Amino acid sequence: MRTTRVWGALGAALLTLGLAAGPAAADASPSPSASGGSDGSAPTQAGTSFRTATELQQGQRATASGSTGDYLYWSFPADTGQRPTVRASVKLPRTHGSETWQLDVYDGLRRHQSCQYGASSRTAGQSAESVELACVMRTVRGWAEPWANDPLPGTYYVRLTVVDLGAADLGQPVGAEVQVDSKDIGGASAVDGSLGKPLVPGIAVKSEARGDDSKAAVLSSFGSRDGWSSGWWSDRWVWTAIGAVLAALAGIGGYALTRGHGRPPTV
């Protein structure tokens, strides 16, 4: 009877922990607002420099027309716990020689970010109609050492350009498509620390009108409705607490099973 009561208490505790972990896991998932723009329209042009980069929200598919030899720039926001994946497709002209296209990603401080995997540079042969590029970035961290080149929350820039082609192909029209998606890694990559402010451009080319009809430079308009999520909290604290409670319950259950079934008989 005593063992039955112990196992009943263990089952009730596990059920309670499961119900508590459900909302925590839901809160750790990315919000739907991070995958679309304010007006829901995808950009149809690209910038030509960091300062004129076209803003692109995650989940949007941007298109642009250009010429071989141009530098095409987009920018997108990435927050703590996200692992962005940048994909680009270039539609080549009907007749062209062999040319190599490259996709580069930079953070808010314009530091080049390496790719975990993906073909960020690819050569298209003379018969190729298009070229596909991809870059899976490292997980965005909430904090890093000043000397480190770790990805931090803020604005990221995408640069698409051709790096090797014949002189006869320079200036030919091309079409480009770029899309950024993220996978929420969550507490698996969380660190103990927080970033004071996200890495956004110091001054953007956009301006906002004041009440006196004057204009002032503003920061990048990127950011979630609830603000940037850099901080000490992550879902790993929930699972750490669950692990501690399970360990305590396992100890209680083991003690109940090994302590015996009552006092020994007396003579």
Side-chain angles (χ1 to χ4, degrees):
M1 179 65 70
R2 182 180 301 173
T3 304
T4 303
R5 288 198 299 268
V6 171
W7 285 113
L10 289 175
L14 291 176
L15 179 60
T16 303
L17 289 174
L19 295 176
D27 294 339
S29 59
S31 59
S33 61
S35 59
S38 58
D39 56 355
S41 59
T44 56
Q45 60 182 1
T48 57
S49 66
F50 285 101
R51 292 181 59 85
T52 60
T54 300
E55 292 187 354
L56 173 65
Q57 293 290 342
Q58 295 186 21
Q60 288 182 327
R61 189 172 185 84
T63 58
S65 299
S67 304
T68 52
D70 293 342
Y71 286 90
L72 305 179
Y73 286 84
W74 295 268
S75 60
F76 67 93
D79 208 348
T80 305
Q82 294 182 344
R83 187 174 65 189
T85 299
V86 184
R87 294 182 176 88
S89 176
V90 182
K91 185 178 181 181
L92 304 175
R94 294 183 178 179
T95 58
H96 62 86
S98 178
E99 52 190 49
T100 302
W101 285 82
Q102 184 168 311
L103 178 69
D104 296 304
V105 181
Y106 299 85
D107 65 4
L109 298 179
R110 301 182 185 180
R111 301 177 302 182
H112 186 267
Q113 294 295 313
S114 59
C115 304
Q116 280 188 323
Y117 50 87
S120 60
S121 179
R122 181 168 289 180
T123 301
Q126 297 181 359
S127 60
E129 298 180 355
S130 62
V131 58
E132 304 289 336
L133 304 171
C135 175
V136 180
M137 298 173 51
R138 296 172 294 169
T139 303
V140 179
R141 297 162 53 92
W143 178 84
E145 294 289 347
W147 47 262
N149 195 30
D150 297 325
L152 296 171
T155 300
Y156 285 83
Y157 297 94
V158 178
R159 184 178 71 182
L160 179 64
T161 187
V162 61
V163 294
D164 185 18
L165 80 165
D169 295 328
L170 190 63
Q172 292 193 17
V174 295
E177 294 183 357
V178 172
Q179 183 170 348
V180 180
D181 298 297
S182 287
K183 180 180 180 181
D184 188 15
I185 305 301
S189 60
V191 295
D192 293 330
S194 61
L195 191 66
K197 294 182 179 179
L199 301 182
V200 297
I203 296 179
V205 296
K206 289 190 173 183
S207 60
E208 61 179 1
R210 294 179 177 175
D212 54 356
D213 296 334
S214 62
K215 293 184 178 181
V218 296
L219 298 179
S220 175
S221 61
F222 284 140
S224 61
R225 297 177 181 177
D226 299 330
W228 297 93
S229 62
S230 299
W232 64 272
W233 173 257
S234 67
D235 58 357
R236 68 171 180 167
W237 294 106
V238 177
W239 298 110
T240 300
I242 292 176
V245 174
L246 291 177
L249 293 177
I252 296 174
Y255 174 75
L257 293 175
T258 58
R259 64 176 295 189
H261 300 281
R263 297 180 179 179
T266 58
V267 179

